[in-house]
Amino acid sequence: MKLKARLMDEAAMSRALMRISHEITEKNKGVDKVVLVGIRRRGVPISERIRDNIMKIENISVPCGSVDIRFYRDDLSHESDAPVLVRADIGTDVNDKNVVLVDDVLYTGRTARAAIEAVFSAGRPRSIQFAVLIDRGHRELPIRADYVGKNVPTSRAELIEVRLPEFDGETGVYLMEAE
């Protein structure tokens, strides 16, 4: 893959996440019943940044958990013919809460669908909302994000790379294309 364009630098990403943080606070009329759930991998540090932003805005610490959706995907090969159902360990109570799933990129919608299943395996939330840094289109399922940092129309041959210091040593969003 080769670099086609830099879409966001660290400052642009910070502004987008601050805007999403304000939108979450406004839509939920505060954050008393809000729980952030990052979708592993890159959704986790993004959800933590949103949590920190909400702390600056509201002076309230919002519970922040994570979910591993590998066992809930419908498009990944299964390890056996009789899969074992695994209850998601989100790390916080989701019952009667407004759960905000957080991910880096929304593409086909399959990761979001799997994350919704994982949340329901952990409890009965009041609502499930979805926040993404980048929405690149090409949905295969009727999934949409409630909070979007940036819409980036892409071709299927292109790829969005969200780089975070925790994994990549830098912060930025890049549009890549096949060579």
Side-chain angles (χ1 to χ4, degrees), residues 71 78-85:
F71 298 109
H78 297 288
E79 293 180 13
S80 91
D81 291 336
V84 177
L85 290 177

Side-chain angles (χ1 to χ4, degrees), residues 9 17 24 45 58 86 104 123-124 137 145 147 151 157 159:
D9 60 11
L17 293 177
I24 289 168
E58 294 288 308
V86 179
D104 58 345
R124 175 110 171 96
Y147 314 101
N151 287 292
L159 176 74

Side-chain angles (χ1 to χ4, degrees), residues 9-167:
D9 60 11
E10 187 172 359
M13 190 184 297
S14 293
R15 284 190 301 273
L17 293 177
M18 183 57 82
R19 181 174 37 79
I20 288 171
S21 305
H22 279 285
E23 290 173 358
I24 289 168
T25 303
E26 290 171 18
K27 180 174 182 172
N28 291 286
K29 298 176 177 59
V31 291
D32 294 336
K33 291 279 192 180
V34 170
V35 171
L36 299 170
V37 176
I39 300 172
R40 290 194 184 122
R41 290 195 8 154
R42 285 174 173 74
V44 174
I46 292 171
S47 68
E48 291 167 352
R49 290 179 188 186
I50 292 171
R51 177 200 58 207
D52 295 346
N53 288 341
I54 290 173
M55 181 65 167
K56 291 175 190 171
I57 298 164
E58 294 288 308
N59 202 28
I60 295 173
S61 182
V62 174
C64 192
S66 66
V67 67
D68 185 343
I69 55 92
R70 286 179 296 172
F71 298 109
Y72 299 90
R73 288 292 296 242
D74 65 352
D75 59 343
L76 300 178
S77 64
H78 297 288
E79 293 180 13
S80 91
D81 291 336
V84 177
L85 290 177
V86 179
R87 183 175 179 190
D89 181 15
I90 292 175
T92 189
D93 181 28
V94 298
N95 289 300
D96 199 38
K97 301 289 183 11
N98 297 315
V99 173
V100 181
L101 290 169
V102 180
D103 205 3
D104 58 345
V105 178
L106 174 55
Y107 182 37
T108 63
R110 292 186 182 280
T111 296
R113 186 209 52 84
I116 291 167
E117 276 189 44
V119 168
F120 278 124
S121 81
R124 175 110 171 96
R126 177 182 291 174
S127 70
I128 298 179
Q129 302 163 26
F130 190 36
V132 295
L133 182 60
I134 304 292
D135 183 346
R136 64 169 288 194
H138 303 288
R139 222 67 82 240
E140 295 174 3
L141 299 173
I143 301 279
R144 67 165 181 78
D146 299 281
Y147 314 101
V148 178
K150 186 177 185 84
N151 287 292
V152 180
T154 62
S155 76
R156 290 197 183 268
E158 295 171 323
L159 176 74
I160 299 285
E161 279 189 15
V162 174
R163 297 182 189 166
L164 299 170
E166 295 87 343
F167 304 109

Side-chain angles (χ1 to χ4, degrees), residues 1-5 159 161 163 174-179:
M1 301 296 284
K2 71 174 184 172
L3 177 65
K4 187 172 181 180
L159 176 74
E161 279 189 15
R163 297 182 189 166
Y174 301 87
L175 179 62
M176 309 298 285
E177 68 180 345
E179 294 188 61

